Amino acid sequence: MSAQPATARSYSAVPAQPLRKGGVRIADVVKVYGTSEAGILAVDHCTFDVPPGEITVVVGPSGCGKTTLLNAIAGFHSISSGNIYLDDELLCGPRKLKAQPGPDRIVVFQNGALFPWKTNIENVTFGPIMQGLLSRAEAYEKARDMMADAGLRGIEHNYPGEMSSGVRRRVEIVRALMNDPKILLLDEPYRALDSLTKSVMHEALLEVFYKNRVTIFFITHDLEEAIFLGHRVVIMTTRPCRPKKILDIDIPHPRDYSVLTTKRFREFMDETAAAVHEEALKAFAAGEKER
Amino acid sequence: MTEASPLRALNRDVSLGLADDAVRGISPLALAIHRFLLWLRSPRPYLMIVGFTLFIGFWYLAVEVWKLPRFSEMPGPTEVVREWFSRNPTYGLSVFTPEYYLHIWVSTRRVAIAFFLATAIGVPLGLFLGWSERFKQYVFPVFELLRPVPPLAWVPLAIVMFKGSETPIIFLTFLASFYATALNTMLGVESIDVSYTRAASCLGATRWQVFRHVIVPGAMPFIFTGLQISVGVAWFSLVAGEMVSGQYGLGYVINTSYTMVRYPTIVIGMITLGIVGYVTSAAVRFVGDHLMQWRTRELALGGDR
């Protein structure tokens, strides 16, 4: 891990080195909802990199358009212009505005999307069985191993609805990892959790990351969460969303919750809090105007 | 790498707390028994008995004791019960006459055929209506125009369209069921959170696999709500159909008993309809619980969703 100096970089600075597995390059992406004349500009000429094998956290006020960006990478939404690359391969661009969803980029949803009508292990094996990559027996064996590894032994044949929401999120992450994705896209996955569960989930996510080294693209509005988890934190402006500040967090990994009380962590918080607060105020003001 | 992390210990605990054998080995029958015992221990059965007693008591007093003016022609409960359980019924219909069961059988058979037809056509139609926006645009306006037409309004056309007396009745019974099933199925598909279909396509499912593994099971709770309504309205329109034509069936019993002034038999027919209707509805609910164990367990054991 490179311990770069924690300086804010201009968002237009595009690193020259080629991308490795799971790197995403967002280049000059614009998204307008509705018609170009009477539309809402959700994403405004957005450019930044998600370095491969690292955790990139995007922070911004609610409704700023950061989920739009995630949906564009996942292939749920089209973009209006610009390009998005995954490992130098074009996901979407001017000729193909909407990417094809696929198991190389798996989303973990805000409210969780384990199928409640399938047992936990049926959920976890869903990807490889649907794609015909593994037989049922092989998939079940792999799933059992992976679930045991993640501390989820013994709940294979329970339904998600019987689990706590924290456990459900972890099952969902195992379901994603079963497909050996290049990048995990997490859309405020811990938003609905209480703060105690949240802190456990953060460390669980880091553990998963240290084990698998999968690239993670994480969206949140919680600055503390962002700095705790991220190698890189991208602070977004309020709508239309554009990177306001990009920070490389040089607190060494592996991290655990003791990081929160260190001086370095506080420095990052101080450095960014003003920027985030400013955007939150703008978002609030804009909300008032709309009413 | 992170062996020192306190998380490891936490991770292990999750399995212990939740992998309760009692939770996993639950069967629909065990659940039914469990529910029944709970029900017995609650005040509900006793309140129910009180309710029935009050209702029948009022009927008895109004007809047989006070002889209220509106109730003068009505048969009282003792008369009905005596007739119903008589080996030699005055008006020819009781639990000891084979015709009684023939009427029940004929009505049940009609409802069953109509219900299965309505399900076989209504569920796929509803699924496609909810799944394909284009298909909905073609079909739904016609559907919505036909739906408010009551089954009774179809009687003349049903008789013109279908030969005999059996098919028109089944057609009329089918109609209302079909609307309830199709509409609820469609709403069921539309109620599915878009995250589920997105998650499935993320995980590499094809459009057809999404339909099979997300749309169909996701709509299931609504489908079964629809089927319960459907059974109810099937009995509803069956009786209407049987009163118009046909030679057997509970609706026919009620109607002919009226014209032939066999008043206790009318009430026997009505009570029988109530009981048979309740049983069919409970059967549908039982099948639903069986097919949707995930939901039964979620509701019974209280996930925090």
Side-chain angles (χ1 to χ4, degrees), chain A residues 48-49 56-60 232-236 243-247:
Chain A
F48 67 92
D49 272 3
T56 300
V57 186
V58 174
V59 192
R232 169 173 288 193
V233 172
V234 182
I235 295 168
M236 290 292 188
K244 184 186 177 80
K245 202 167 189 179
I246 298 179
L247 289 168

Side-chain angles (χ1 to χ4, degrees), chain A residues 255-276:
Chain A
R255 297 176 189 165
D256 63 38
Y257 246 64
S258 61
V259 163
L260 289 186
T261 51
T262 60
K263 186 162 162 276
R264 196 79 191 102
F265 185 84
R266 282 295 131 199
E267 282 169 13
F268 277 116
M269 283 297 284
D270 292 345
E271 196 181 333
T272 47
V276 171

Side-chain angles (χ1 to χ4, degrees), chain B residues 111 114-124 176-185 219-235 280-285 287-288 291-292:
Chain B
V111 165
F115 174 74
F116 281 115
L117 276 177
T119 308
I121 303 173
V123 170
S177 288
F178 165 72
Y179 294 137
T181 304
L183 197 67
N184 271 284
T185 306
M220 211 50 106
F222 273 73
I223 293 177
F224 270 90
T225 308
L227 291 184
Q228 279 197 48
I229 299 173
S230 154
V231 171
V233 297
W235 284 102
T280 48
S281 192
V284 171
R285 193 164 47 235
V287 172
L291 285 180
M292 293 183 293

Side-chain angles (χ1 to χ4, degrees), chain B residues 169-269:
Chain B
I169 294 176
I170 290 174
F171 173 72
L172 293 174
T173 310
F174 158 85
L175 271 178
S177 288
F178 165 72
Y179 294 137
T181 304
L183 197 67
N184 271 284
T185 306
M186 184 189 86
L187 293 176
V189 175
E190 287 174 352
S191 78
I192 296 171
D193 189 334
V194 70
S195 299
Y196 294 136
T197 46
R198 284 179 173 176
S201 56
C202 256
L203 295 166
T206 61
R207 199 167 144 76
W208 173 245
Q209 285 171 329
V210 171
F211 184 77
R212 160 89 177 66
H213 292 276
V214 178
I215 303 293
V216 174
M220 211 50 106
F222 273 73
I223 293 177
F224 270 90
T225 308
L227 291 184
Q228 279 197 48
I229 299 173
S230 154
V231 171
V233 297
W235 284 102
F236 212 85
S237 35
L238 170 89
V239 172
E242 285 180 342
M243 284 182 158
V244 174
S245 67
Q247 284 179 10
Y248 291 100
L250 293 165
Y252 169 81
V253 167
I254 293 170
N255 202 38
T256 47
S257 304
Y258 170 66
T259 51
M260 301 180 76
V261 208
R262 297 169 178 165
Y263 291 161
T265 312
I266 296 181
V267 180
I268 292 176

Side-chain angles (χ1 to χ4, degrees), chain A residues 117 131 153-154 161-162 170 207, chain B residues 7-8 11 15 203 213 303:
Chain A
W117 46 86
Q131 296 162 52
R153 199 196 300 273
E162 299 172 272
R170 284 160 58 183
E207 200 188 335
Chain B
L7 176 79
R8 293 227 153 248
N11 268 347
S15 330
L203 295 166
H213 292 276

